[in-house]
Amino acid sequence: MNLDTNKLSSAVRLALTLGAVATAGVAGSVMAQDTTTTTPPSSTKAKELQTIVVTGSRIRRVDIETANPVFTISRQAIDQSGAVTLGDLVQSSPAISGQATNPYVNNGGGTGASTISLRGLGANRTLVLMDGHRLVNSGGGVDINQIPAAMVERIEILKDGASSTYGSDAIGGVVNFIMRKNFQGAEFSTNYGTSDHSDGTQVGYSAIFGQSTDKGSIVGGLSYDKVDAISSANRSFSNKALYLYYGQIVPFGSSRVPNGRIVYPGNGGIALTRISGTDGTALSDYRPYNGATDAYNYQEENLIQTPQERTNAFMMANYRLSDNVTAYLDFFHDHTTSHSALAPSLADTGIPSPLVISAQSMYNPFGVEFSNASGNRFETRFTGLGQRVFQYGTTTDQVIAGLKGAVGETSWQWDASLNYGHISQGANEQGFINLAAANPAFGPSFLDNGVPTCGVPGTPIAGCTPINIFDQSNPTQAALLKQYMSNPFTQSIYVSREAAVNANGDLFELPGGTVRLAVGADYRKEYTNGGVSSDIQINPTTGSCALGTGCASSLQGGFNVKEAYAEILIPILKDVPFAHSLNVDIGSRYSKYSLAGNTTNSKIAVEWRPINDLLLRGTVSQVFRAPSISNLFAGPANSAPTFVDPCIGYIPGTSPASENNACGAPTGATAIPPTGIANPSVSQTNAIVSGSQYANYSLKPEFGKSFDFGFVYDPHWLPGFSTTVDLWRIYLNDTITSIQAQTLANICFNNPSSNFCPLIHRFPNGQISNIYTPTVNLGRLDTSGVDFGFRYRLPHFDVMGVNPGNFGIQFDSTYISKYNDAPAPGISSVAVIHNAGIYTSQFGNFARWRALGTLNWDRGPWNAMWRMRYIGHIGVPIQDFGTGAFTEFHFGAYVYNDFSIGYEIAPINTRLQVGVNNAFNKQPPIFTQNVVINANTDVNTYDVIGRYYWANATVKF
């Protein structure tokens, strides 16, 4: 069937729009994942070359503007950003909020990864694709820095739920990387950047080679990127540990100080610290501890940009086996080394730890034992071991191979593919001590003929030399400590195998147009195996290990999923009054998980053009996320969360709580003492964090709905202008979350029959021994807002007879009206958290307004760009370190300005680009260490590097 007049008009509009996009750099609602086709017979060739697949749908169609709200970052925008990797560029999208990981996360990061959190729903609720295929994801979100930036043609961000189209994870939206194809020749690029402080240097090199013929094409290459570290000590906002203390922001720090902090009841509760220059073996060597002057400034030991080094190899090929069948093969390899660094490790007998300093130690002048059991507290830093350094090596490989083609002389096209992904990561930790092995050296000791000896007179411990833990500044003592140094190692492997079959084509004609159908099925298996070294093997009873902190255990497992979907596009009306066109898109997907049950998710989308210039659109989708491999099989790790036992004060036989067994035998205690449970000496507990399988908890998918209603207006009376407005809402039930120990205890206290109660374990005296806090289904998320954007390609004009060039303006913004998290719906003691307009350490930054504006200019070989990133006003609830009271502080809006200019040297096929990011050196807001653990600020959202200069050069042959 030949193109009719309207389809020809749409094709012309498509070509003009793509031309504008290529010039302008960033646009909304443009074409998506696969615009290539096989060569069909001549009778259908003209038609099929004009059809495209829009991200968010499987239907091939002519229309470029559909019910799917898509924001696009073009190849030119990538070049003009100065980004070595893609993380910073994509994370600037206004639809991203919360706390997506990036290389500025040092405490809790260091892998070099950047993840995407659309709508602030987390990286696990944002699906990342490459040319419509799932990228390998071990459960923590796809690291988009692993994608070779030089190979990306454009990036499409679908800001709507799409579970019926793509399956699990597509809740907040979809990020689809469209790769460069049919590349001819060679391209070499190099880039360099450095901060205004002459640190954080970034260098990168890439080489791409390609060849295209009538039978097929092949493109491949290599890239290398290196990013240097930035120390927290090199920035004024991060070089001190700042705290809100009695209403003032003051430099403070940690009570785990190198000279030690000692508290024991025999001293009237007065904290002591060792006087510098003394060995700490006499009471006269100590003075009262003064937090204002003695607290340890750990911040100067930390990083605000973690270093990374990446090597990529990639290849994409296709070959036409016949007129109707094409074979294709994509291969990507990435190896990343990176690390994070923290202040020296801490020793603290006040938290669950095997550290015991004997009262009979020849170096202990206090005459009391320091241990968790005794209640006498000793805190220090193992400065003799140096910084804690976490080194990571991550290798990611993915191969996608398949066949695609057409069915005879019909409109139908098909695709069958195999997708194999493999991630291996090794992590080595330095600067830790094996406390269990070192404990004899901290135990009883004496002088045996003037020689320090472990043990007691008459029973020495062979091969053990006692250590004066009170004086690590002594080189001799530091050397003794190092013999017990532990460098724990973890290794994880993740494998994904997928087979998929898809087909789409025309069914029949209606008065409104052609009914089109897409169908498909896939089968996926995922497997993980995580191992840890023996010195951090967790004790399942105590939750502790030889290291004292950072305990973990090995765990392996896997699951499979079978899926089938169908999507149909029905044109209802066309070219009638008040309906230039009216289309309905209906889709549904069935998913069956071997460990999480089955689910069916559907959508309905409506596209109505009352006039040619205006598209009214709406989509209602069911969305879901199945448990990821890490949700299921994350190995157990210890933690010591703050905790108040709700059973404290309840007496057996007299209190309702014990009568209904919320505090009794079902939680592991053989009996509660008649006097009840004593209040513990510390406000923490032993917790074991894990995936659901370790705790024998049955995890199921979380589910909800996504709503998007809006319009696209392309006025014919203002050529080059287009604007979009979309109102959106997403809610989720039974959210997959790692439950907090306090939340779990509160739920059990209110409902003794809860399946969470067996996760609480008590000693016979009723005290908590440990609480298992696995990944569970609990909670509800509800968020809504509005997106607004426009683009305008200004018409040509002259100034005093001179053409000043071409100008393009793009603007995209997101407003969050609501983001509510109910951790335990129906439990009155667990409050709903209202995050809109708020920053919290648990959920991240939800500034109500975010925006991205770009002004582009080009004239002949020259081009320039001015980009502005806007982050709106934010409220931050901060608990005063001195008074304990919470106050919500307010921080104003932030605007970052980036500039770049480029020149094309046509005779030698070379493009030069230079720029400056954060040109006005805007410094981040100070949130203080009361609410953050990195750099006194929100490193996931704000720029911490400062003014940054960069340049790149690209040569083509």
Side-chain angles (χ1 to χ4, degrees):
M1 183 177 92
N2 294 323
L3 285 170
D4 59 25
T5 304
N6 289 314
K7 291 187 176 180
L8 179 61
S9 173
S10 297
V12 172
R13 287 182 60 195
L14 169 63
L16 293 174
T17 304
L18 292 181
V21 169
T23 306
V26 179
S29 299
V30 299
M31 74 177 203
Q33 65 196 37
D34 183 10
T35 58
T36 60
T37 64
T38 56
T39 303
S42 57
S43 62
T44 61
K45 182 175 181 179
K47 169 187 173 183
E48 296 302 326
L49 284 176
Q50 304 303 325
T51 58
I52 59 175
V53 175
V54 178
T55 298
S57 171
R58 300 279 188 171
I59 300 288
R60 303 188 67 87
R61 55 191 299 188
V62 172
D63 305 282
I64 190 172
E65 293 170 342
T66 69
N68 303 307
V70 178
F71 173 75
T72 300
I73 302 173
S74 72
R75 177 71 238 174
Q76 184 182 14
I78 297 172
D79 292 335
Q80 291 180 324
S81 71
V84 175
T85 57
L86 296 170
D88 285 347
L89 182 64
V90 179
Q91 287 184 349
S92 66
S93 168
I96 291 172
S97 57
Q99 51 184 5
T101 302
N102 59 40
Y104 312 119
V105 179
N106 177 61
N107 192 348
T111 63
S114 291
T115 58
I116 303 302
S117 174
L118 285 170
R119 305 297 188 205
L121 293 172
N124 277 334
R125 298 187 182 106
T126 299
L127 182 64
V128 179
L129 307 174
M130 180 181 292
D131 287 333
H133 297 280
R134 280 180 177 263
L135 282 175
V136 61
N137 176 9
S138 60
V142 173
D143 173 17
I144 63 171
N145 288 341
Q146 71 183 349
I147 301 170
M151 274 294 293
V152 177
E153 178 64 31
R154 65 186 182 276
I155 306 164
E156 299 175 351
I157 302 175
L158 171 69
K159 300 181 288 186
D160 191 17
S163 292
S164 65
T165 303
Y166 300 113
S168 178
D169 306 343
I171 295 175
V174 179
V175 179
N176 194 5
F177 291 86
I178 311 301
M179 311 305 284
R180 301 168 75 179
K181 306 176 184 68
N182 300 320
F183 189 90
Q184 185 74 32
E187 179 181 290
F188 300 92
S189 297
T190 181
N191 54 68
Y192 176 86
T194 189
S195 78
D196 202 24
H197 294 257
S198 299
D199 59 8
T201 300
Q202 302 183 17
V203 295
Y205 310 94
S206 70
I208 305 175
F209 306 91
Q211 180 67 41
S212 298
T213 69
D214 290 341
K215 297 290 289 183
S217 66
I218 183 170
V219 57
L222 298 168
S223 67
Y224 169 82
D225 303 313
K226 185 175 184 294
V227 179
D228 290 344
I230 297 178
S231 171
S232 294
N234 289 352
R235 298 294 186 274
S236 60
F237 62 85
S238 62
N239 60 9
K240 293 181 176 63
L242 300 176
Y243 284 83
L244 178 67
Y245 189 69
Y246 288 105
Q248 301 294 320
I249 295 179
V250 296
F252 213 63
S254 171
S255 63
R256 283 88 165 187
V257 297
N259 284 0
R261 182 178 181 272
I262 299 98
V263 181
Y264 63 104
N267 195 43
I270 299 174
L272 301 175
T273 189
R274 181 176 58 84
I275 300 171
S276 296
T278 66
D279 64 8
T281 59
L283 290 176
S284 60
D285 293 344
Y286 295 85
R287 61 170 174 79
Y289 174 84
N290 184 340
T293 57
D294 293 330
Y296 177 64
N297 179 24
Y298 52 85
Q299 266 300 118
E300 61 184 3
E301 303 273 2
N302 295 347
L303 301 176
I304 55 171
Q305 177 169 281
T306 59
Q308 59 177 287
E309 197 167 358
R310 291 180 179 271
T311 303
N312 274 296
F314 44 88
M315 186 270 289
M316 304 179 72
N318 64 81
Y319 185 76
R320 185 173 296 118
L321 301 176
S322 69
D323 285 347
N324 289 329
V325 179
T326 297
Y328 62 90
L329 175 67
D330 300 339
F331 167 73
F332 297 91
H333 167 83
D334 176 86
H335 179 70
T336 300
T337 58
S338 56
H339 79 256
S340 60
L342 298 172
S345 61
L346 56 88
D348 187 347
T349 63
I351 60 176
S353 167
L355 176 62
V356 177
I357 304 172
S358 173
Q360 285 75 48
S361 168
M362 59 181 289
Y363 297 118
N364 184 353
F366 301 100
V368 298
E369 176 185 282
F370 292 97
S371 66
N372 180 249
S374 71
N376 299 317
R377 191 164 190 175
F378 173 72
E379 305 167 312
T380 192
R381 295 268 173 174
F382 287 118
T383 52
L385 305 181
Q387 280 182 300
R388 285 170 290 171
V389 177
F390 304 82
Q391 297 180 318
Y392 301 91
T394 307
T395 301
T396 304
D397 294 286
Q398 186 153 9
V399 180
I400 302 169
L403 299 172
K404 62 182 179 180
V407 180
E409 297 187 0
T410 71
S411 63
W412 280 83
Q413 298 189 28
W414 57 271
D415 184 301
S417 63
L418 298 174
N419 187 342
Y420 173 83
H422 185 280
I423 300 175
S424 64
Q425 183 178 87
N428 178 249
E429 302 174 7
Q430 300 176 3
F432 292 86
I433 188 170
N434 188 325
L435 290 172
N439 257 344
F442 304 139
S445 57
F446 65 102
L447 287 175
D448 187 1
N449 295 322
V451 178
T453 304
C454 300
V456 296
T459 313
I461 300 175
C464 174
T465 302
I467 297 175
N468 183 3
I469 194 174
F470 299 98
D471 184 19
Q472 293 182 64
S473 60
N474 185 318
T476 301
Q477 300 303 315
L480 290 172
L481 274 173
K482 286 182 179 178
Q483 67 181 324
Y484 298 105
M485 183 183 288
S486 173
N487 294 321
F489 183 81
T490 63
Q491 176 73 42
S492 64
I493 296 173
Y494 167 77
V495 178
S496 173
R497 299 176 176 91
E498 181 181 16
V501 178
N502 302 282
N504 65 83
D506 299 347
L507 288 181
F508 51 86
E509 294 292 324
L510 290 177
T514 304
V515 177
R516 295 185 168 92
L517 176 69
V519 295
D522 58 73
Y523 174 77
R524 187 169 73 253
K525 293 183 67 175
E526 299 186 33
Y527 170 80
T528 187
N529 188 346
V532 302
S533 55
S534 60
D535 49 356
I536 56 173
Q537 284 283 350
I538 197 170
N539 183 320
T541 300
T542 66
S544 186
C545 62
L547 200 65
T549 60
C551 308
S553 283
S554 304
L555 197 65
Q556 62 177 323
F559 66 87
N560 65 70
V561 56
K562 306 176 183 72
E563 297 186 286
Y565 75 89
E567 181 183 0
I568 187 169
L569 177 69
I570 306 172
I572 305 297
L573 297 173
K574 179 181 177 182
D575 294 332
V576 299
F578 305 109
H580 181 76
S581 64
L582 176 62
N583 302 323
V584 176
D585 189 342
I586 301 172
S588 188
R589 172 179 289 264
Y590 172 79
S591 306
K592 183 177 182 180
Y593 285 81
S594 60
L595 293 180
N598 58 70
T599 178
T600 300
N601 295 271
S602 304
K603 76 165 185 180
I604 182 169
V606 177
E607 306 162 3
W608 174 35
R609 286 189 180 273
I611 57 174
N612 189 42
D613 293 356
L614 177 64
L615 170 65
L616 303 177
R617 60 190 183 189
T619 302
V620 178
S621 303
Q622 293 175 313
V623 293
F624 82 103
R625 179 172 80 89
S628 69
I629 197 79
S630 61
N631 293 148
L632 294 165
F633 295 104
N638 78 323
S639 67
T642 56
F643 182 76
V644 176
D645 191 342
C647 292
I648 297 297
Y650 286 88
I651 307 300
T654 62
S655 59
S658 65
E659 289 170 5
N660 64 19
N661 289 322
C663 304
T667 61
T670 55
I672 299 298
T675 56
I677 305 171
N679 203 353
S681 59
V682 295
S683 58
Q684 293 174 296
T685 193
N686 289 332
I688 300 178
V689 182
S690 72
S692 62
Q693 292 292 300
Y694 181 80
N696 295 317
Y697 180 88
S698 297
L699 202 58
K700 62 183 180 180
E702 58 186 19
F703 63 95
K705 286 187 178 180
S706 171
F707 305 85
D708 190 277
F709 303 99
F711 67 84
V712 181
Y713 184 47
D714 302 299
H716 67 276
W717 49 268
L718 188 60
F721 179 84
S722 178
T723 186
T724 62
V725 175
D726 288 280
L727 281 73
W728 52 268
R729 182 194 173 198
I730 302 168
Y731 73 79
L732 289 172
N733 293 309
D734 288 341
T735 54
I736 299 172
T737 183
S738 180
I739 192 170
Q740 303 296 308
Q742 190 68 63
T743 300
L744 188 151
N746 290 347
I747 292 174
C748 182
F749 183 79
N750 283 274
N751 178 17
S753 62
S754 168
N755 59 355
F756 293 142
C757 291
L759 301 175
I760 303 174
H761 301 273
R762 296 180 182 272
F763 293 116
N765 66 359
Q767 295 283 3
I768 298 286
S769 61
N770 62 59
I771 300 178
Y772 280 62
T773 56
T775 303
V776 301
N777 290 107
L778 181 69
R780 176 185 167 95
L781 284 174
D782 197 336
T783 181
S784 60
V786 60
D787 295 332
F788 165 70
F790 70 87
R791 66 181 186 271
Y792 183 38
R793 186 66 178 172
L794 276 68
H796 293 288
F797 62 93
D798 291 341
V799 178
M800 300 180 65
V802 177
N803 178 10
N806 305 308
F807 293 88
I809 303 172
Q810 296 82 40
F811 178 81
D812 189 64
S813 65
T814 293
Y815 175 77
I816 301 174
S817 61
K818 177 175 64 176
Y819 192 107
N820 293 344
D821 183 288
I827 306 298
S828 59
S829 58
V830 182
V832 175
I833 303 169
H834 303 277
N835 284 314
I838 300 294
Y839 169 85
T840 61
S841 58
Q842 182 179 358
F843 296 98
N845 193 307
F846 290 88
R848 288 190 182 273
W849 278 106
R850 295 194 188 212
L852 182 68
T854 306
L855 173 63
N856 288 278
W857 168 84
D858 67 84
R859 186 176 187 272
W862 291 94
N863 69 79
M865 181 199 72
W866 174 17
R867 187 178 71 162
M868 292 166 286
R869 183 164 70 103
Y870 176 88
I871 302 165
H873 163 278
I874 196 77
V876 184
I878 303 177
Q879 185 177 25
D880 193 298
F881 189 68
T883 67
F886 277 92
T887 302
E888 184 171 307
F889 289 81
H890 294 268
F891 298 84
Y894 269 65
V895 179
Y896 295 105
N897 292 267
D898 307 329
F899 299 92
S900 71
I901 187 168
Y903 184 74
E904 191 88 24
I905 310 175
I908 57 174
N909 298 318
T910 299
R911 183 185 71 249
L912 303 176
Q913 201 85 26
V914 297
V916 55
N917 294 343
N918 192 1
F920 304 122
N921 200 32
K922 187 76 171 177
Q923 299 298 292
I926 301 297
F927 289 172
T928 75
Q929 293 293 308
N930 304 66
V931 291
V932 299
I933 58 174
N934 284 283
N936 298 312
T937 192
D938 174 16
V939 299
N940 303 88
T941 302
Y942 300 100
D943 182 279
V944 294
I945 297 178
R947 187 180 293 114
Y948 179 80
Y949 304 98
W950 58 269
N952 64 46
T954 301
V955 181
K956 297 181 180 180
F957 296 94

